[in-house]
PDB file of all heavy atoms in Angstrom:
ATOM      1  N   THR W 191     -11.133 -20.311 -18.794  1.00 98.00           N
ATOM      2  CA  THR W 191     -11.878 -19.078 -19.090  1.00 98.00           C
ATOM      3  C   THR W 191     -12.521 -18.562 -17.812  1.00 98.00           C
ATOM      4  O   THR W 191     -12.940 -19.353 -16.963  1.00 98.00           O
ATOM      5  CB  THR W 191     -12.993 -19.329 -20.109  1.00 98.00           C
ATOM      6  OG1 THR W 191     -13.807 -20.407 -19.636  1.00 98.00           O
ATOM      7  CG2 THR W 191     -12.442 -19.678 -21.470  1.00 98.00           C
ATOM      8  N   VAL W 192     -12.615 -17.252 -17.704  1.00 98.00           N
ATOM      9  CA  VAL W 192     -13.220 -16.649 -16.515  1.00 98.00           C
ATOM     10  C   VAL W 192     -14.063 -15.434 -16.879  1.00 98.00           C
ATOM     11  O   VAL W 192     -13.686 -14.628 -17.732  1.00 98.00           O
ATOM     12  CB  VAL W 192     -12.131 -16.248 -15.483  1.00 98.00           C
ATOM     13  CG1 VAL W 192     -12.681 -15.276 -14.448  1.00 98.00           C
ATOM     14  CG2 VAL W 192     -11.577 -17.474 -14.779  1.00 98.00           C
ATOM     15  N   GLY W 193     -15.207 -15.356 -16.247  1.00 98.00           N
ATOM     16  CA  GLY W 193     -16.031 -14.145 -16.304  1.00 98.00           C
ATOM     17  C   GLY W 193     -16.241 -13.710 -14.865  1.00 98.00           C
ATOM     18  O   GLY W 193     -16.784 -14.472 -14.073  1.00 98.00           O
ATOM     19  N   GLU W 195     -18.033 -11.359 -12.328  1.00 97.00           N
ATOM     20  CA  GLU W 195     -19.094 -10.370 -12.090  1.00 97.00           C
ATOM     21  C   GLU W 195     -18.649  -9.463 -10.944  1.00 97.00           C
ATOM     22  O   GLU W 195     -18.190  -9.955  -9.921  1.00 97.00           O
ATOM     23  CB  GLU W 195     -20.389 -11.081 -11.699  1.00 97.00           C
ATOM     24  CG  GLU W 195     -20.875 -12.079 -12.736  1.00 97.00           C
ATOM     25  CD  GLU W 195     -21.957 -12.996 -12.183  1.00 97.00           C
ATOM     26  OE1 GLU W 195     -22.948 -12.494 -11.655  1.00 97.00           O
ATOM     27  OE2 GLU W 195     -21.786 -14.216 -12.277  1.00 97.00           O
ATOM     28  N   PRO W 276     -19.040  -8.995 -17.178  1.00 97.00           N
ATOM     29  CA  PRO W 276     -18.464  -9.029 -18.519  1.00 97.00           C
ATOM     30  C   PRO W 276     -18.669 -10.405 -19.157  1.00 97.00           C
ATOM     31  O   PRO W 276     -18.978 -11.368 -18.466  1.00 97.00           O
ATOM     32  CB  PRO W 276     -16.974  -8.827 -18.246  1.00 97.00           C
ATOM     33  CG  PRO W 276     -16.753  -9.497 -16.932  1.00 97.00           C
ATOM     34  CD  PRO W 276     -18.057  -9.403 -16.160  1.00 97.00           C
ATOM     35  N   ILE W 277     -18.474 -10.478 -20.452  1.00 98.00           N
ATOM     36  CA  ILE W 277     -18.446 -11.780 -21.113  1.00 98.00           C
ATOM     37  C   ILE W 277     -17.089 -12.411 -20.803  1.00 98.00           C
ATOM     38  O   ILE W 277     -16.069 -11.719 -20.774  1.00 98.00           O
ATOM     39  CB  ILE W 277     -18.635 -11.615 -22.636  1.00 98.00           C
ATOM     40  CG1 ILE W 277     -20.023 -11.024 -22.908  1.00 98.00           C
ATOM     41  CG2 ILE W 277     -18.462 -12.943 -23.364  1.00 98.00           C
ATOM     42  CD1 ILE W 277     -20.260 -10.625 -24.347  1.00 98.00           C
ATOM     43  N   PHE W 278     -17.107 -13.721 -20.577  1.00 98.00           N
ATOM     44  CA  PHE W 278     -15.877 -14.381 -20.138  1.00 98.00           C
ATOM     45  C   PHE W 278     -14.782 -14.364 -21.213  1.00 98.00           C
ATOM     46  O   PHE W 278     -15.053 -14.257 -22.396  1.00 98.00           O
ATOM     47  CB  PHE W 278     -16.181 -15.817 -19.731  1.00 98.00           C
ATOM     48  CG  PHE W 278     -16.617 -16.704 -20.870  1.00 98.00           C
ATOM     49  CD1 PHE W 278     -15.696 -17.463 -21.556  1.00 98.00           C
ATOM     50  CD2 PHE W 278     -17.947 -16.765 -21.257  1.00 98.00           C
ATOM     51  CE1 PHE W 278     -16.083 -18.274 -22.614  1.00 98.00           C
ATOM     52  CE2 PHE W 278     -18.350 -17.577 -22.309  1.00 98.00           C
ATOM     53  CZ  PHE W 278     -17.420 -18.329 -22.995  1.00 98.00           C
ATOM     54  N   ASN W 324     -16.676 -16.888 -12.379  1.00 97.00           N
ATOM     55  CA  ASN W 324     -17.179 -17.986 -13.219  1.00 97.00           C
ATOM     56  C   ASN W 324     -16.004 -18.585 -13.966  1.00 97.00           C
ATOM     57  O   ASN W 324     -15.320 -17.882 -14.709  1.00 97.00           O
ATOM     58  CB  ASN W 324     -18.215 -17.450 -14.212  1.00 97.00           C
ATOM     59  CG  ASN W 324     -19.445 -16.927 -13.500  1.00 97.00           C
ATOM     60  OD1 ASN W 324     -20.349 -17.681 -13.189  1.00 97.00           O
ATOM     61  ND2 ASN W 324     -19.459 -15.629 -13.210  1.00 97.00           N
ATOM     62  N   TRP W 325     -15.802 -19.883 -13.775  1.00 98.00           N
ATOM     63  CA  TRP W 325     -14.591 -20.534 -14.279  1.00 98.00           C
ATOM     64  C   TRP W 325     -14.943 -21.760 -15.104  1.00 98.00           C
ATOM     65  O   TRP W 325     -15.823 -22.531 -14.729  1.00 98.00           O
ATOM     66  CB  TRP W 325     -13.723 -20.921 -13.080  1.00 98.00           C
ATOM     67  CG  TRP W 325     -12.422 -21.605 -13.360  1.00 98.00           C
ATOM     68  CD1 TRP W 325     -11.207 -21.014 -13.478  1.00 98.00           C
ATOM     69  CD2 TRP W 325     -12.182 -23.015 -13.504  1.00 98.00           C
ATOM     70  NE1 TRP W 325     -10.232 -21.959 -13.691  1.00 98.00           N
ATOM     71  CE2 TRP W 325     -10.796 -23.194 -13.716  1.00 98.00           C
ATOM     72  CE3 TRP W 325     -13.011 -24.142 -13.487  1.00 98.00           C
ATOM     73  CZ2 TRP W 325     -10.220 -24.459 -13.896  1.00 98.00           C
ATOM     74  CZ3 TRP W 325     -12.437 -25.394 -13.670  1.00 98.00           C
ATOM     75  CH2 TRP W 325     -11.053 -25.538 -13.875  1.00 98.00           C
ATOM     76  N   SER W 326     -14.272 -21.911 -16.208  1.00 98.00           N
ATOM     77  CA  SER W 326     -14.458 -23.118 -17.001  1.00 98.00           C
ATOM     78  C   SER W 326     -13.191 -23.382 -17.808  1.00 98.00           C
ATOM     79  O   SER W 326     -12.205 -22.651 -17.688  1.00 98.00           O
ATOM     80  CB  SER W 326     -15.667 -22.953 -17.924  1.00 98.00           C
ATOM     81  OG  SER W 326     -15.983 -24.184 -18.537  1.00 98.00           O
ATOM     82  N   ASN W 334     -16.457 -25.773 -24.776  1.00 96.00           N
ATOM     83  CA  ASN W 334     -16.443 -25.657 -23.326  1.00 96.00           C
ATOM     84  C   ASN W 334     -16.436 -27.064 -22.730  1.00 96.00           C
ATOM     85  O   ASN W 334     -17.373 -27.828 -22.915  1.00 96.00           O
ATOM     86  CB  ASN W 334     -17.694 -24.880 -22.880  1.00 96.00           C
ATOM     87  CG  ASN W 334     -17.790 -24.744 -21.371  1.00 96.00           C
ATOM     88  OD1 ASN W 334     -17.020 -25.352 -20.623  1.00 96.00           O
ATOM     89  ND2 ASN W 334     -18.744 -23.950 -20.921  1.00 96.00           N
ATOM     90  N   ARG W 435     -31.105 -22.971  -9.490  1.00 65.00           N
ATOM     91  CA  ARG W 435     -29.884 -22.262  -9.138  1.00 65.00           C
ATOM     92  C   ARG W 435     -29.881 -22.017  -7.646  1.00 65.00           C
ATOM     93  O   ARG W 435     -30.866 -21.602  -7.064  1.00 65.00           O
ATOM     94  CB  ARG W 435     -29.839 -20.932  -9.884  1.00 65.00           C
ATOM     95  CG  ARG W 435     -29.699 -21.110 -11.359  1.00 65.00           C
ATOM     96  CD  ARG W 435     -28.289 -21.530 -11.687  1.00 65.00           C
ATOM     97  NE  ARG W 435     -27.413 -20.400 -11.441  1.00 65.00           N
ATOM     98  CZ  ARG W 435     -27.216 -19.428 -12.314  1.00 65.00           C
ATOM     99  NH1 ARG W 435     -27.774 -19.468 -13.477  1.00 65.00           N
ATOM    100  NH2 ARG W 435     -26.440 -18.422 -12.028  1.00 65.00           N
ATOM    101  N   LYS W 447     -20.338 -24.226 -16.229  1.00 95.00           N
ATOM    102  CA  LYS W 447     -19.187 -23.542 -15.623  1.00 95.00           C
ATOM    103  C   LYS W 447     -19.361 -23.590 -14.111  1.00 95.00           C
ATOM    104  O   LYS W 447     -20.429 -23.954 -13.632  1.00 95.00           O
ATOM    105  CB  LYS W 447     -19.162 -22.087 -16.084  1.00 95.00           C
ATOM    106  CG  LYS W 447     -20.408 -21.318 -15.653  1.00 95.00           C
ATOM    107  CD  LYS W 447     -20.421 -19.893 -16.168  1.00 95.00           C
ATOM    108  CE  LYS W 447     -21.600 -19.098 -15.653  1.00 95.00           C
ATOM    109  NZ  LYS W 447     -22.920 -19.567 -16.121  1.00 95.00           N
TER     110      LYS W 447
HETATM  111  P1  ADP J 720     -25.852 -16.800 -15.364  1.00 72.55           P
HETATM  112  O1  ADP J 720     -27.262 -17.004 -15.816  1.00 72.55           O
HETATM  113  O2  ADP J 720     -25.225 -17.980 -14.728  1.00 72.55           O
HETATM  114  O3  ADP J 720     -25.610 -15.509 -14.663  1.00 72.55           O
HETATM  115  P2  ADP J 720     -24.409 -15.816 -17.597  1.00 72.55           P
HETATM  116  O4  ADP J 720     -24.280 -16.431 -18.928  1.00 72.55           O
HETATM  117  O5  ADP J 720     -25.051 -14.484 -17.477  1.00 72.55           O
HETATM  118  O6  ADP J 720     -25.062 -16.879 -16.702  1.00 72.55           O
HETATM  119  O7  ADP J 720     -22.967 -15.754 -16.978  1.00 72.55           O
HETATM  120  C1  ADP J 720     -22.583 -15.132 -15.816  1.00 72.55           C
HETATM  121  C2  ADP J 720     -21.099 -14.895 -15.921  1.00 72.55           C
HETATM  122  O8  ADP J 720     -20.462 -16.128 -16.228  1.00 72.55           O
HETATM  123  C3  ADP J 720     -20.737 -13.945 -17.053  1.00 72.55           C
HETATM  124  O9  ADP J 720     -19.700 -13.108 -16.619  1.00 72.55           O
HETATM  125  C4  ADP J 720     -20.290 -14.897 -18.124  1.00 72.55           C
HETATM  126  O10 ADP J 720     -19.405 -14.316 -19.034  1.00 72.55           O
HETATM  127  C5  ADP J 720     -19.624 -15.982 -17.327  1.00 72.55           C
HETATM  128  N1  ADP J 720     -19.499 -17.229 -18.095  1.00 72.55           N
HETATM  129  C6  ADP J 720     -20.413 -17.805 -18.913  1.00 72.55           C
HETATM  130  N2  ADP J 720     -19.890 -18.890 -19.497  1.00 72.55           N
HETATM  131  C7  ADP J 720     -18.613 -19.021 -19.052  1.00 72.55           C
HETATM  132  C8  ADP J 720     -17.543 -19.928 -19.303  1.00 72.55           C
HETATM  133  N3  ADP J 720     -17.670 -20.933 -20.135  1.00 72.55           N
HETATM  134  N4  ADP J 720     -16.373 -19.718 -18.676  1.00 72.55           N
HETATM  135  C9  ADP J 720     -16.228 -18.703 -17.823  1.00 72.55           C
HETATM  136  N5  ADP J 720     -17.187 -17.822 -17.547  1.00 72.55           N
HETATM  137  C10 ADP J 720     -18.372 -17.969 -18.145  1.00 72.55           C
END
Side-chain angles (χ1 to χ4, degrees):
T191 53
V192 163
E195 302 166 53
I277 296 172
F278 66 93
N324 295 275
W325 180 94
S326 189
N334 178 352
R435 293 286 290 277
K447 62 183 185 294

